[in-house]
């Protein structure tokens, strides 16, 4: 952690897990674009796991693909970013709740197998570095402990 994130994490208590209501308090995303349902194993300023329960009722399945529903890879990467953004807000505290977080880079995205209805994505994000309001993460999405997608990405929190 940087000294700024050390101080932020020390100044308030960060829970080990949060529900959808706390996620919605932390980031501005809403249905149909809120892509995480819960977060667990939160380590302030370092890592977290986001949970996405994929159901057949997801709006993107109407067109991707009706006869063989597959969650778009870009939405899996977005779920990684939302997990990371929520971790950043949880680390930095109440003053950053609801702030916008913008992608800056997406690197080395790999999609290993399709994700479909009935799957539960466990989205592991680990901070690689942060400086000022720019954070870089490595994300790996897993289904049944098998990696289905991964990417390295950076984002800027606006505030």
């Amino acid at each position: 952690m940087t000294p700024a994130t050390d101080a932020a994490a020390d100044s308030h208590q960060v829970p080990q897990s949060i529900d959808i209501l706390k996620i919605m308090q932390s980031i501005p995303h809403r249905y149909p674009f809120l892509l995480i349902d819960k977060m667990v194993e939160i380590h302030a300023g370092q890592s977290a796991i986001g949970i996405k329960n994929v159901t057949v009722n997801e709006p993107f399945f109407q067109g991707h693909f009706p006869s063989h529903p597959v969650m778009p890879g870009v939405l899996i990467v977005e779920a990684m970013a939302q997990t990371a953004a929520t971790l950043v807000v949880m680390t930095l505290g109440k003053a950053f709740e609801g702030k916008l977080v913008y992608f800056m880079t997406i690197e080395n995205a790999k999609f290993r197998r399709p994700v479909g209805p009935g799957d539960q994505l466990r989205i592991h994000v680990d901070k690689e570095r942060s400086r000022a309001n720019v954070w870089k993460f490595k994300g790996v999405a897993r289904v049944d402990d098998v990696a289905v997608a991964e990417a390295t990405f950076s984002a800027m929190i606006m505030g």
Side-chain angles (χ1 to χ4, degrees):
M1 266 195 251
T2 64
T5 56
D6 281 339
D10 290 343
S11 67
H12 66 278
Q13 196 71 346
V14 176
Q16 277 284 73
S17 66
I18 59 171
D19 63 13
I20 189 66
L21 296 176
K22 184 64 178 171
I23 292 168
M24 290 172 60
Q25 186 178 334
S26 299
I27 60 176
H29 303 75
R30 295 296 180 264
Y31 178 85
F33 215 70
L34 180 58
L35 298 173
I36 54 175
D37 299 315
K38 177 180 179 178
M39 284 179 54
V40 297
E41 298 181 36
I42 300 168
H43 302 281
Q46 294 303 315
S47 64
I49 297 174
I51 307 288
K52 168 65 176 161
N53 295 307
V54 182
T55 73
V56 75
N57 296 321
E58 307 287 351
F60 47 79
F61 286 143
Q62 292 177 19
H64 199 267
F65 303 99
S67 62
H68 185 76
V70 174
M71 183 174 185
V74 295
L75 295 183
I76 297 171
V77 175
E78 174 64 25
M80 290 177 193
Q82 289 180 20
T83 301
T86 303
L87 172 62
V88 169
V89 170
M90 298 295 297
T91 299
L92 297 177
K94 205 162 193 55
F96 288 86
E97 288 179 357
K99 299 288 185 185
L100 295 178
V101 181
Y102 293 113
F103 266 128
M104 294 176 63
T105 65
I106 301 171
E107 303 166 10
N108 302 317
K110 294 181 175 93
F111 305 99
R112 308 253 179 230
R113 82 162 183 82
V115 174
D119 287 339
Q120 182 184 71
L121 281 175
R122 292 184 61 86
I123 303 150
H124 301 248
V125 296
D126 291 290
K127 182 187 84 170
E128 289 192 340
R129 66 177 172 267
S130 65
R131 184 171 19 176
N133 60 341
V134 176
W135 293 61
K136 186 171 185 175
F137 286 89
K138 168 76 174 163
V140 178
R142 299 178 184 280
V143 173
D144 297 328
D145 212 28
V146 174
V148 296
E150 62 187 75
T152 301
F153 54 93
S154 62
M156 177 185 295
I157 187 165
M158 305 303 287

